[in-house]
């Protein structure tokens, strides 16, 4: 019986590695940058007043990621925010391996096209080859039942790569299909002719 391999994992080996090797002139395939993990994080400032929000967010993020989300807790007391040390203030999940590739495929093929007035994502990298994008509504994911939504939550999705170069990380994530704003302009010469 054949084991399941995500299509993006095969695409990385068969298409992305040769394309990046050609573009950057790597001597070995071990030099080609890899996607190491995807971290999805939701900060829940309102959870200080309403404890059930954390549980709802944890269930929704578990559905979206396909892996159990964990609560993040505050590290210190902040009286202005009515925050005590150890209070739950958010949820997060770290995806690696096959689940990471499956989430990436759902994000690019299903979730991002559902964003209203979508123009592409910004290309601000952190200077170390990692990329973080923000999503304002969790309802763009098909796993979320819109009828059961009580509150709209945003989230941050961080793509951690094995390279320190923003240029190489940009090339890697573009090859995976992340729709960066400038990449769209370069890829569509037909719009200028029409």
């Amino acid at each position: 019986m054949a084991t399941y391999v995500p299509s993006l994992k095969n695409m990385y080996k068969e298409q992305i590695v040769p394309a990046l090797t050609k573009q950057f002139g790597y001597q070995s395939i071990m030099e080609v940058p890899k996607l190491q993990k995807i971290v999805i994080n939701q900060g829940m400032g309102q959870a200080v007043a309403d404890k059930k929000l954390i549980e709802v967010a944890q269930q929704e993020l578990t559905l979206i990621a396909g892996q159990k989300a964990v609560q993040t807790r505050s590290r210190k007391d902040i009286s202005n925010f009515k925050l005590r040390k150890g209070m739950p203030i958010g949820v997060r999940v770290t995806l690696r391996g096959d689940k990471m590739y499956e989430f990436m495929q759902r994000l690019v093929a299903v979730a991002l096209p559902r964003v209203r007035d979508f123009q592409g994502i910004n290309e601000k990298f952190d200077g170390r080859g990692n990329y973080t994008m923000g999503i304002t509504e969790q309802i763009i994911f098909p796993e979320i039942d819109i009828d059961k939504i009580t509150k709209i939550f945003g989230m941050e999705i961080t793509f951690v790569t094995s390279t320190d170069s923003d240029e190489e990380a940009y090339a890697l994530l573009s090859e995976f299909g992340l729709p960066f704003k400038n990449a769209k302009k370069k890829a569509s010469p037909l719009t200028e002719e029409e």
Side-chain angles (χ1 to χ4, degrees):
M1 189 170 133
T3 58
Y4 167 73
V5 178
S7 58
L8 273 185
K9 193 173 189 178
N10 285 334
M11 187 176 120
Y12 174 75
K13 289 178 184 167
E14 295 164 10
Q15 296 171 11
I16 297 175
V17 169
L20 291 178
T21 302
K22 184 178 177 187
Q23 184 178 350
F24 292 102
Y26 298 121
Q27 300 299 313
S28 162
I29 60 168
M30 297 306 285
E31 291 180 65
V32 179
K34 298 176 189 67
L35 189 59
Q36 292 181 320
K37 63 183 175 181
I38 296 176
V39 181
I40 309 166
N41 180 32
Q42 284 184 311
M44 311 289 296
Q46 310 98 330
V48 174
D50 187 358
K51 303 277 186 265
K52 287 188 178 171
L53 285 179
I54 285 283
E55 292 165 15
V56 170
Q58 191 173 6
Q59 290 168 353
E60 287 179 354
L61 192 57
T62 299
L63 278 175
I64 290 169
Q67 181 176 312
K68 186 162 177 27
V70 296
Q71 293 182 3
T72 53
R73 300 188 175 270
S74 62
R75 293 188 186 139
K76 55 185 174 183
D77 297 339
I78 303 173
S79 61
N80 290 350
F81 299 126
K82 297 183 177 129
L83 195 61
R84 297 273 167 257
K85 187 175 181 176
M87 283 178 81
I89 54 169
V91 290
R92 73 181 160 105
V93 64
T94 302
L95 302 172
R96 291 183 171 88
D98 290 352
K99 288 188 178 180
M100 171 185 73
Y101 287 113
E102 287 171 10
F103 174 79
M104 178 88 160
Q105 187 163 11
R106 279 183 288 140
L107 177 72
V108 171
V110 180
L112 287 178
R114 294 175 69 169
V115 175
R116 269 185 306 234
D117 302 328
F118 187 64
Q119 301 292 319
I121 55 178
N122 288 328
E123 46 203 65
K124 286 197 113 165
F125 283 75
D126 69 350
R128 294 193 198 98
N130 304 317
Y131 178 70
T132 301
M133 63 179 284
I135 290 180
T136 54
E137 301 174 331
Q138 83 275 33
I139 57 175
I140 64 169
F141 291 96
E143 295 87 358
I144 301 296
D145 185 3
I146 295 176
D147 299 332
K148 294 180 182 174
I149 292 296
T150 54
K151 203 163 184 93
I152 299 289
F153 300 125
M155 65 183 72
E156 285 184 341
I157 303 172
T158 302
F159 301 91
V160 179
T161 64
S162 62
T163 180
D164 287 339
S165 162
D166 286 350
E167 184 185 356
E168 292 175 17
Y170 175 79
L172 173 70
L173 295 176
S174 295
E175 289 288 333
F176 270 122
L178 276 184
F180 290 105
K181 286 182 181 174
N182 285 350
K184 277 189 168 187
K185 292 174 190 167
K186 293 176 193 168
S188 57
L190 295 173
T191 54
E192 294 166 10
E193 295 171 9
E194 292 172 357

